[in-house]
Amino acid sequence: METIDLAAYGATDFKPEAYINNILAKMPEEDVKVYRASLKDAKDATAAGLQRNVHKNYSEFVLISKEISSLEGDVLLLRGLLDDLASVNSGHKIGQNLNSDENLKEADDPENAPKVAQTNTLTSNDLHEQQKIAMENLYETIDGLKKLLPISKNRHIIRDGAESRMCEINPANYKPKQPVFVYVLNDTLLIAIKKKNILNGKTKMVIEKCFRLVEMAIIDMKDSSDITNAFKIMSHPDVYMFRAETWEEKRSLLAVIKRVSDELIGQKKKDKEPQRAAQKPQLPPQTTSPSKIQVDTSEVGKSEKKEDLNEADSKWVSELSYDLDVLIAHREFDGAVTEIMKARNLFKTHPGAKITHQHERQEVEDRVDILASYICRDLANPIASKLQIQDNIDRLILLGLGKQARTIFLESRTAIIRHRIKLVKFDGDVSDYVNDLSMIVFRLIRSTCDWYNSSFKEAAMASGFLKWVRREIEHFGDIIRRQVFESQKNFSVIAECLDHTLHHCEMLREIGLDLTFVLNQLFHNDVVNAIEDYRRRGKEAIIRDIDEDTFAIVECAQNDVTKSGDMIARGLESGAVISLSVLQLYDLLMDFGSDMGLIMSISLYAKIVWCLTDYFSTYLIRVMDVFDKKWTNKQYFVMICNCEFIIDIMIPQVSSQLSLRFDRSIPELDEHRGRLKGVVTAMRTNFTKIKVREITKKVFSLQAVDYSSTASILDNAKPTENVLQLLSDLNDLLADAENTAVFRKIVCDIVSGVFSQMMEANSWETEHGPLRFGFCGVQQLVLDIHFFLHIAEHFISPAANEIANKICEKALKSYFMQNAKIRGNLKTGEWYDKRVQEEKVHWDFPFLTMNELAREAKS
């Protein structure tokens, strides 16, 4: 028996399916059970060992965690010291440059000093101007960037991504999703893609994602057999995966992002230091050098030019973040929103304050995020009242977070709808369940619409609400689809559920929201699929009924005729003959009409008509398939009558009923009826060929009867038994077919077919040569044909009579050619007429001699 190899289970490339197939392929069932028990014991032992390791290493884990925490603080401290060291080194280098001989000479020369300062200023201005132009070009190049990233004077490009070769990766299967272009700014990471304009065919750069560097984390991924040069960008709660073309490009990008992020962290720490130039106490006038006074004067002029805040407003702004913390802590949200709006207006009316009080402005915006999180939490509360929800939405709109408010509000309403749906009990009655479900869903959608309209007044917000309604209707449709269409095949239940749904949907019309067409579109394919299943089952039933049918004539009781209405009664009045399979088809059509009547609409017209035509085609084609089997004349007769009843009685009646339902004509059924008539014609032709083949082979033909006798013909000669048998078979055929017009016409075709077959060249040849006729034989042939033409006179068409005369003429010519030396006199036409009149009184073929019906068949 195979032992368990735990090392194989712990391998990195372990493949369970291949391992199990390899191990268990040749094991008997008992060894498989033992192996399974051993595997379960190994699993329990491994789990117990893992638990022991966890308890054993828990104290070490806690100790290491504390060390990591302290190490993290040490690393941050070390980073700050390194930043300070870099600043000292930079200052030292600048001091050395200033102490150089050239700088000393320029400094001693009073004319050169202004030029040096001017040169440094121009160099700085040129750099800022280039950065500004680059950012303007970036906003023009990337479509949609202004919406996600407002323009800022302090923002500039660190790394241009126009030439980057990267792509976004699907984390599930590591397959590329789309090429991307990564731009690194001094505070933001941009992901752009190229899209093709459908109208002009040109491609343009479009913003795809935007991340603040302080709110994201970038993770380097280890190369594997599935993917290389990949990295992740995490921005809670989303995670994105990207892949660089080369390892060098990936390393360069990660290094730039790390450097810029470190600079932002360092700058943020410096901004929190309380030392500010504007708040430093001024030195006494006598200790201030003239040059310093001149500089301070110029700064004051600049501040006045930028319309900076006054001392009171500046002090209020500097303390505002602390006041907002207190207001948020006491949940005085209205007061906090008022203070924030006042600060924003203050910064708006004093453009210069955006620069001099940038730190305070950022602190206020940070408090906006905190305040918004509390308000959103209250907005998502499922038990909040309408007034509370409207107040929270108004606060978020004032803070400029209208879209976020809409998203939170609609998500909370979605959660409420989902919760209420779960509370609906299903007691086995699908109709009652759908009724309760529809009432709850549409009432909640209506109340949501009322609350939404009272809170969001802007027209631009309407599209978002309609998308939400569409999603909720689709979710509702999924539930209905599972409960109704996937589990129910009864159309009465389906129709009742759809009626409940449309009835409760009517309440949305009162608020100007009509979703009836959405529901019809949503369930259209499901209804069509249900009809298709119904058609398939009906088609199988038709084939099964035909295979089981013995094609015996059925007698309908009076109550069956009354139940069937016009269709069967009309057929019986016209003398139609049908078998059991036709009655079963009629019952199927009645059930189909009853079920389709519950859900019938003009959108289902084509599907319903197609199902009916398929039913009729299936019946006739299946009868055509079994027609080639060995049947009696009576059964052949019933098969043809069944098909004619469907074409002449059933299809017109169904077409009439459908035209009343849809209030229009049904040309498809009329055209299909014309095509099916060809099937019946083919059945008649096939039956005629079968009978002609039987008759000429066994009953009557030039080769079936010996006409080579050379003796003299008797004066009282009689027709041969073969001719009498032919007449008897034709008479029996009419009797079995109840002398119907259809089979009277078929008898005419059979007679013509027999004579045509006798006239063919191969009928005049034998194995030994041409067919021979004797003196008695040729006259017997003429007597047989003459007798047959007289008895079946009314079933002989002019064409058949002409062929019969040609047979006699050809037989006489053959006789004279074969017996040129014989000079005996042949009987005259009077003798043949006399013998026919004398013999016909001895034979009774009533169905062949009924003059009135026979004339009809002949015509």
Side-chain angles (χ1 to χ4, degrees):
M1 190 188 76
E2 192 72 25
T3 59
I4 297 177
D5 186 6
L6 295 179
Y9 284 92
T12 56
D13 57 347
F14 177 68
K15 296 181 179 179
E17 293 82 2
Y19 182 79
I20 291 300
N21 291 334
N22 187 26
I23 293 296
L24 303 182
K26 299 181 180 179
M27 279 190 181
E29 184 178 358
E30 295 298 329
D31 291 347
V32 171
K33 293 181 179 179
V34 174
Y35 185 81
R36 181 178 181 276
S38 301
L39 189 62
K40 185 176 180 182
D41 295 338
K43 174 189 172 184
D44 297 338
T46 304
L50 179 62
Q51 186 176 10
R52 287 194 300 272
N53 290 335
V54 170
H55 291 300
K56 178 181 178 181
N57 299 328
Y58 180 74
S59 58
E60 297 180 2
F61 172 75
V62 173
L63 181 61
I64 293 174
S65 300
K66 292 180 180 180
E67 292 179 357
I68 291 174
S69 300
S70 60
L71 182 61
E72 183 179 2
D74 296 340
V75 170
L76 293 176
L77 179 61
L78 179 60
R79 178 182 293 177
L81 295 175
L82 291 175
D83 291 338
D84 296 340
L85 180 59
S87 300
V88 171
N89 290 335
S90 299
H92 181 64
K93 292 180 180 179
I94 294 174
Q96 286 181 343
N97 292 334
L98 292 175
N99 291 330
S100 62
D101 295 335
E102 185 178 357
N103 289 336
L104 288 174
K105 291 179 181 179
E106 292 177 354
D108 292 339
D109 191 354
E111 296 180 358
N112 291 334
K115 293 181 181 180
V116 174
Q118 185 177 3
T119 302
N120 294 334
T121 304
L122 288 175
T123 303
S124 177
N125 291 336
D126 291 342
L127 179 60
H128 286 297
E129 187 66 24
Q130 291 177 1
Q131 293 176 348
K132 180 180 178 181
I133 294 174
M135 285 300 299
E136 291 176 354
N137 293 335
L138 184 65
Y139 278 104
E140 293 177 359
T141 303
I142 302 179
D143 190 15
L145 180 58
K146 292 182 180 180
K147 296 181 180 179
L148 292 181
L149 189 66
I151 298 175
S152 175
K153 296 179 180 179
N154 298 327
R155 185 175 291 115
H156 58 272
I157 300 175
I158 301 297
R159 185 181 187 274
D160 192 358
E163 302 298 330
S164 61
R165 294 173 296 173
M166 298 187 182
C167 62
E168 186 177 358
I169 302 298
N170 189 345
N173 51 19
Y174 294 144
K175 291 184 178 180
K177 294 173 62 177
Q178 57 186 351
V180 298
F181 301 88
V182 182
Y183 292 82
V184 182
L185 308 184
N186 61 330
D187 61 346
T188 311
L189 180 68
L190 303 179
I191 306 295
I193 61 173
K194 283 187 177 181
K195 284 189 177 180
K196 187 175 182 180
N197 194 319
I198 301 177
L199 299 179
N200 54 24
K202 297 181 180 180
T203 58
K204 61 179 180 179
M205 197 82 75
V206 179
I207 187 67
E208 177 72 7
K209 298 176 182 65
C210 180
F211 304 102
R212 292 180 61 185
L213 292 178
V214 296
E215 296 178 353
M216 58 159 277
I218 189 163
I219 301 174
D220 187 9
M221 294 180 60
K222 184 180 178 181
D223 292 346
S224 64
S225 59
D226 296 327
I227 190 170
T228 58
N229 304 328
F231 59 92
K232 291 182 180 179
I233 294 179
M234 300 180 62
S235 179
H236 184 75
D238 300 320
V239 179
Y240 305 94
M241 185 181 295
F242 301 90
R243 180 182 179 274
E245 187 72 19
T246 61
W247 178 79
E248 290 78 9
E249 187 174 8
K250 167 188 167 183
R251 182 183 62 177
S252 174
L253 176 63
L254 298 184
V256 171
I257 294 176
K258 184 178 184 305
R259 178 173 60 82
V260 177
S261 300
D262 292 344
E263 291 177 357
L264 283 176
I265 294 174
Q267 184 64 32
K268 193 170 183 180
K269 289 175 64 178
K270 292 180 181 179
D271 291 341
K272 290 183 179 181
E273 296 178 359
Q275 298 177 358
R276 292 194 169 276
Q279 298 178 0
K280 288 183 179 179
Q282 296 183 356
L283 295 174
Q286 62 274 15
T287 60
T288 306
S289 62
S291 61
K292 186 65 177 178
I293 294 174
Q294 186 176 0
V295 173
D296 292 342
T297 304
S298 63
E299 292 295 332
V300 171
K302 290 181 181 179
S303 298
E304 292 175 356
K305 189 174 182 180
K306 293 182 179 179
E307 300 179 359
D308 200 356
L309 300 176
N310 56 34
E311 184 177 354
D313 291 338
S314 179
K315 183 179 179 181
W316 178 79
V317 168
S318 63
E319 297 176 353
L320 179 59
S321 60
Y322 302 104
D323 296 340
L324 290 176
D325 289 338
V326 175
L327 292 174
I328 294 173
H330 287 82
R331 299 185 62 82
E332 297 179 5
F333 297 151
D334 291 332
V337 172
T338 303
E339 295 294 308
I340 291 172
M341 296 305 297
K342 180 180 177 181
R344 286 180 173 177
N345 292 332
L346 195 62
F347 286 123
K348 184 177 181 180
T349 56
H350 297 78
K354 295 181 180 180
I355 300 176
T356 57
H357 294 80
Q358 183 178 3
H359 175 70
E360 286 82 357
R361 183 167 172 264
Q362 184 61 41
E363 291 287 341
V364 172
E365 294 303 324
D366 291 342
R367 298 314 186 275
V368 170
D369 296 339
I370 298 173
L371 177 60
S373 65
Y374 281 98
I375 296 176
C376 290
R377 191 183 305 167
D378 290 350
L379 181 60
N381 188 358
I383 62 174
S385 63
K386 180 179 179 180
L387 181 60
Q388 291 173 335
I389 290 176
Q390 289 178 348
D391 291 342
N392 288 323
I393 292 176
D394 293 340
R395 292 162 186 162
L396 291 174
I397 292 176
L398 289 175
L399 294 176
L401 302 174
K403 292 184 178 180
Q404 184 177 353
R406 179 186 66 187
T407 301
I408 298 297
F409 170 67
L410 294 180
E411 287 179 354
S412 65
R413 298 299 294 177
T414 297
I416 292 174
I417 293 176
R418 300 289 190 274
H419 177 69
R420 293 291 301 276
I421 288 176
K422 292 179 180 179
L423 296 180
V424 180
K425 294 183 179 179
F426 179 68
D427 56 359
D429 191 332
V430 178
S431 178
D432 291 343
Y433 174 78
V434 172
N435 183 38
D436 297 339
L437 185 69
S438 304
M439 180 177 61
I440 289 173
V441 171
F442 289 111
R443 280 187 178 179
L444 289 175
I445 291 177
R446 175 178 176 174
S447 63
T448 303
C449 183
D450 292 337
W451 294 13
Y452 190 91
N453 290 334
S454 61
S455 300
F456 298 96
K457 306 295 184 181
E458 298 182 6
M461 291 290 187
S463 61
F465 175 73
L466 293 179
K467 291 180 181 178
W468 175 84
V469 172
R470 178 80 185 197
R471 288 196 302 269
E472 294 306 312
I473 292 298
E474 290 176 352
H475 180 264
F476 169 76
D478 292 338
I479 299 176
I480 298 298
R481 187 173 296 109
R482 290 193 301 269
Q483 294 292 338
V484 178
F485 292 99
E486 294 181 4
S487 61
Q488 293 290 329
K489 302 302 180 182
N490 190 340
F491 272 88
S492 61
V493 177
I494 294 176
E496 191 173 355
C497 293
L498 293 179
D499 288 341
H500 289 321
T501 302
L502 295 175
H503 171 70
H504 290 294
C505 185
E506 292 290 332
M507 69 176 67
L508 298 181
R509 285 189 178 182
E510 302 174 1
I511 57 175
L513 191 64
D514 188 1
L515 299 179
T516 304
F517 73 99
V518 178
L519 292 174
N520 290 333
Q521 293 177 356
L522 192 64
F523 297 128
H524 177 75
N525 291 336
D526 300 301
V527 175
V528 169
N529 292 335
I531 296 175
E532 176 63 21
D533 291 339
Y534 196 107
R535 180 201 65 82
R536 178 180 50 78
R537 296 194 304 270
K539 186 175 181 178
E540 294 173 354
I542 291 174
I543 295 174
R544 183 176 60 254
D545 294 340
I546 293 175
D547 292 341
E548 296 175 356
D549 195 359
T550 58
F551 297 103
I553 300 176
V554 295
E555 299 292 339
C556 295
Q558 185 63 34
N559 57 347
D560 294 331
V561 175
T562 304
K563 175 184 175 183
S564 64
D566 294 337
M567 191 180 298
I568 301 297
R570 181 182 171 189
L572 295 178
E573 290 174 0
S574 62
V577 175
I578 57 176
S579 66
L580 180 61
S581 59
V582 174
L583 291 179
Q584 292 170 333
L585 175 62
Y586 169 78
D587 292 337
L588 175 65
L589 293 176
M590 291 298 101
D591 294 339
F592 182 81
S594 177
D595 291 335
M596 293 302 107
L598 300 172
I599 59 172
M600 191 171 292
S601 65
I602 194 64
S603 62
L604 300 174
Y605 169 83
K607 187 65 179 179
I608 292 175
V609 172
W610 184 79
C611 289
L612 291 172
T613 56
D614 188 56
Y615 284 160
F616 296 133
S617 299
T618 300
Y619 188 93
L620 266 70
I621 292 174
R622 189 61 180 176
V623 171
M624 190 71 178
D625 292 339
V626 302
F627 197 80
D628 294 333
K629 296 181 180 180
K630 187 66 177 179
W631 302 97
T632 63
N633 291 335
K634 193 80 170 179
Q635 289 172 320
Y636 281 124
F637 162 67
V638 174
M639 288 183 191
I640 295 175
C641 289
N642 285 344
C643 297
E644 290 189 337
F645 178 83
I646 291 174
I647 293 175
D648 297 334
I649 304 297
M650 193 171 287
I651 294 180
Q653 189 70 17
V654 170
S655 179
S656 175
Q657 293 294 329
L658 280 182
S659 63
L660 293 176
R661 287 294 187 97
F662 289 109
D663 194 20
R664 54 164 293 180
S665 60
I666 315 296
E668 293 87 353
L669 279 178
D670 297 335
E671 295 174 0
H672 190 65
R673 181 189 177 199
R675 290 190 294 269
L676 292 181
K677 285 183 178 180
V679 178
V680 179
T681 302
M683 293 174 64
R684 294 176 184 173
T685 303
N686 192 15
F687 177 72
T688 301
K689 291 180 179 179
I690 293 173
K691 301 309 293 183
V692 169
R693 187 165 56 249
E694 290 179 357
I695 291 173
T696 56
K697 185 177 181 180
K698 299 179 180 180
V699 181
F700 181 73
S701 67
L702 295 177
Q703 295 178 349
V705 184
D706 185 10
Y707 291 113
S708 62
S709 175
T710 57
S712 298
I713 189 168
L714 300 177
D715 291 336
N716 60 348
K718 298 180 180 180
T720 61
E721 293 294 332
N722 300 77
V723 172
L724 296 175
Q725 183 64 40
L726 173 60
L727 291 171
S728 178
D729 290 346
L730 294 178
N731 186 77
D732 294 341
L733 177 61
L734 289 173
D736 291 336
E738 298 184 358
N739 201 21
T740 57
V742 175
F743 269 74
R744 290 195 295 272
K745 179 65 171 62
I746 290 176
V747 169
C748 293
D749 295 339
I750 292 174
V751 172
S752 298
V754 170
F755 286 146
S756 298
Q757 181 69 28
M758 292 174 66
M759 195 60 190
E760 292 182 0
N762 57 359
S763 298
W764 300 82
E765 297 289 338
T766 64
E767 297 177 356
H768 307 289
L771 189 67
R772 299 193 62 83
F773 293 93
F775 180 77
C776 178
V778 71
Q779 295 182 87
Q780 184 66 47
L781 173 63
V782 175
L783 177 62
D784 288 344
I785 293 178
H786 199 71
F787 182 78
F788 180 83
L789 293 177
H790 187 82
I791 297 298
E793 174 185 4
H794 302 293
F795 292 90
I796 308 299
S797 65
N801 188 65
E802 183 179 355
I803 296 173
N805 291 331
K806 288 181 179 180
I807 293 172
C808 295
E809 292 175 359
K810 188 173 181 179
L812 290 171
K813 288 180 181 180
S814 298
Y815 166 74
F816 287 123
M817 291 177 63
Q818 297 168 2
N819 304 279
K821 296 180 180 181
I822 299 177
R823 292 293 181 260
N825 294 326
L826 300 177
K827 299 295 184 181
T828 62
E830 295 178 355
W831 180 82
Y832 290 114
D833 293 337
K834 180 181 178 182
R835 290 306 305 148
V836 168
Q837 294 297 330
E838 292 176 352
E839 288 296 326
K840 75 175 184 178
V841 297
H842 301 294
W843 305 101
D844 185 19
F845 304 107
F847 290 100
L848 290 175
T849 57
M850 295 176 67
N851 295 335
E852 182 178 353
L853 297 178
R855 290 194 195 98
E856 180 183 348
K858 183 177 179 180
S859 62

